Amino acid sequence: MRIGVTVFPGSNCDRDALYAVERMGAEPVGLWHAEADLKGVDAVIVPGGFSYGDYLRPGAIARFAGVMGPLEEFANEGGPVLGVCNGFQVLCEAHLLPGALLQNTHMRFVCDRVRVRVETTGTPWTAGGEVGEELTLPVAHNEGNYFADAETLARLEDEDRVVLRYVENPNGSANDIAGVCSEGRNVVGVMPHPERVSDPALGSDEGLKILRSVLVGAGV
């Protein structure tokens, strides 16, 4: 299985994600922001960082990068896409996921490891987990406060589209939401960084439970 990792100016987790893809047993493929070509990959990870310096607001400029056209087409055709942190923000800006990521309610950057609970296994990126399973994953963000209007939040809950939920909310996110999926369930966005805990040498490999799920869903 070949998994693409997008690289924007200001991305800083792309190499971590490429390494994590190797660790999960797939072939990593770099996808340059200016090239409208997904190179025939089977899944895509949009990694964290500060794409285009987070100018205007996080993800607002990356959303218009050359690679995003084929990525949106891939997602709309059911291809598995995972956005992590800034990648989650990019996918919200591209309207591939509902809601927005606002500044943390305490107005400070948060860099910590947090407990999150798997809320659904009905996505390509959580298919290998168990509902109710708790994972410890790193977070590092200033704008991780998930927001959506009351009607959208109710629909996300009713349709089982909250993917991860914080056990202890670090940023004020509505309904303690740490990750959501699209209506088609193939596009997932999460604020915690599974790629940063993909090797025991990094202190843990719990993040592989998220990343390897896409192999489970593909029957690999």
Side-chain angles (χ1 to χ4, degrees):
M1 188 171 192
R2 303 173 74 241
I3 299 181
V5 176
T6 59
V7 183
F8 301 104
S11 294
N12 65 10
C13 297
D14 47 303
R15 291 189 177 276
D16 308 63
L18 289 164
Y19 176 74
V21 169
E22 280 189 3
R23 288 276 304 155
M24 60 188 270
E27 178 186 349
V29 180
L31 302 174
W32 186 239
H33 70 103
E35 297 176 358
D37 183 3
L38 294 189
K39 302 179 181 178
V41 297
D42 303 296
V44 177
I45 296 174
V46 184
F50 303 90
S51 59
Y52 296 90
D54 276 355
Y55 287 112
L56 299 180
R57 59 182 178 274
I61 298 177
R63 177 256 182 279
F64 295 103
V67 74
M68 289 301 294
L71 189 150
E72 290 177 35
E73 184 177 345
F74 177 77
N76 289 329
E77 291 175 349
V81 178
L82 174 67
V84 177
C85 195
N86 187 229
F88 188 4
Q89 296 161 341
V90 172
L91 297 180
C92 287
E93 288 286 341
H95 305 296
L96 292 172
L97 290 171
L101 283 309
L102 307 183
Q103 190 170 28
N104 302 336
T105 52
H106 47 61
M107 308 293 281
R108 298 188 302 276
F109 191 93
V110 59
C111 182
D112 204 349
R113 293 195 177 206
V114 299
R115 297 289 291 171
V116 295
R117 186 172 61 247
V118 176
E119 295 290 276
T120 178
T121 57
T123 83
W125 301 99
T126 53
E130 296 181 10
V131 174
E133 180 178 12
E134 291 189 6
L135 304 173
T136 299
L137 302 175
V139 293
H141 57 251
N142 193 56
E143 289 88 6
N145 169 17
Y146 184 78
F147 172 83
D149 59 48
E151 181 181 350
T152 300
L153 287 173
R155 190 165 62 249
L156 289 172
E157 298 287 356
D158 290 345
E159 296 176 355
D160 192 30
R161 290 168 55 193
V162 176
V163 174
L164 297 179
R165 204 182 303 269
Y166 296 113
V167 175
E168 293 184 9
N169 192 333
N171 51 36
S173 285
N175 293 9
D176 300 326
I177 288 173
V180 299
C181 69
S182 63
E183 189 172 1
R185 311 193 72 83
N186 58 302
V187 181
V188 169
V190 297
M191 282 312 293
H193 288 265
E195 79 286 357
R196 292 189 183 181
V197 280
S198 62
D199 191 318
L202 300 172
S204 168
D205 61 357
E206 285 194 42
L208 292 178
K209 292 184 179 179
I210 299 291
L211 300 172
R212 280 181 174 152
S213 286
V214 74
L215 302 180
V216 174
V220 176

